[in-house]
Amino acid sequence: TFKKLKNGRSKKRMYMDSNYSFRNNHRRDHYFLILNLFLIVFFIFLYILNQKYLKHYLDLCFFRYHFNDILAGGIIITYVNLLFIFLRKPQYCLRQFWIIVCVNIVIGFFWEFITPFYRPDSITDPYDLVAYTSGGCLYYTIINVFNSKHMRI
């Protein structure tokens, strides 16, 4: 439609339909999907590498007790984001730093302080809470390193 201006000229006005946001964010969401698929495969690869080799051949407490917890923090955020993407709700993806940290703290708190009540082989380790949060920070850092003009976080 055209709007009549004071000087006698007309100006075309653009209107957005309900699918405007979906169509124009498609590239960004596609890039974010590919990045999250890569990250979950990468984190799972590192987990398997740690379980099979690093724990046994590198006799370090870090790989034996905390490395998998760091990977778990990244895997959880990646998994949640993939669920939102596959459910066609990319606007709910966890992309902000403080949300990622809060989700990892809540999940870590549950795993470390609630799980031992119903699972006898589980123990409470407050350092694991720091490891889960570090995994979320690692995820946030990686997606910001790969950030491009097509994907604004």
Side-chain angles (χ1 to χ4, degrees):
T1 63
F2 291 92
K3 180 180 178 183
K4 199 76 161 168
L5 299 175
K6 291 182 182 179
N7 61 4
R9 295 183 180 182
S10 57
K11 179 180 178 183
K12 186 174 182 178
R13 299 190 76 185
M14 301 284 292
Y15 290 99
M16 290 186 275
D17 60 354
S18 61
N19 288 325
Y20 176 82
S21 177
F22 175 75
R23 285 194 316 266
N24 289 316
N25 290 328
H26 179 68
R27 284 188 187 146
R28 181 191 66 186
D29 293 337
H30 181 71
Y31 179 78
F32 194 64
L33 169 67
I34 299 297
L35 182 57
N36 276 281
L37 286 172
F38 170 77
L39 283 177
I40 201 160
V41 168
F42 179 69
F43 285 142
I44 291 172
F45 170 76
L46 288 178
Y47 173 80
I48 293 170
L49 183 70
N50 189 40
Q51 287 296 103
K52 299 283 184 186
Y53 301 107
L54 297 179
K55 275 185 178 183
H56 304 294
Y57 297 115
L58 297 176
D59 194 23
L60 298 173
C61 290
F62 173 74
F63 289 107
R64 191 172 297 266
Y65 300 114
H66 300 295
F67 188 63
N68 285 346
D69 297 327
I70 291 172
L71 296 174
I75 288 172
I76 288 295
I77 300 300
T78 307
Y79 179 72
V80 168
N81 283 341
L82 286 172
L83 283 177
F84 284 136
I85 291 170
F86 288 132
L87 293 173
R88 300 207 184 256
K89 300 287 183 186
Q91 67 271 22
Y92 297 123
C93 285
L94 307 176
R95 298 178 181 184
Q96 295 177 334
F97 180 76
W98 68 274
I99 293 176
I100 291 171
V101 168
C102 287
V103 166
N104 275 314
I105 287 173
V106 168
I107 290 171
F109 182 82
F110 182 83
W111 280 338
E112 295 302 320
F113 298 105
I114 306 298
T115 303
F117 288 125
Y118 64 86
R119 190 170 167 197
D121 63 332
S122 178
I123 59 169
T124 299
D125 183 6
Y127 293 117
D128 287 347
L129 194 61
V130 174
Y132 299 134
T133 307
S134 299
C137 294
L138 176 66
Y139 170 84
Y140 182 79
T141 303
I142 290 171
I143 62 171
N144 278 321
V145 165
F146 287 101
N147 191 10
S148 70
K149 63 182 178 181
H150 298 294
M151 185 181 82
R152 292 193 178 108
I153 297 177

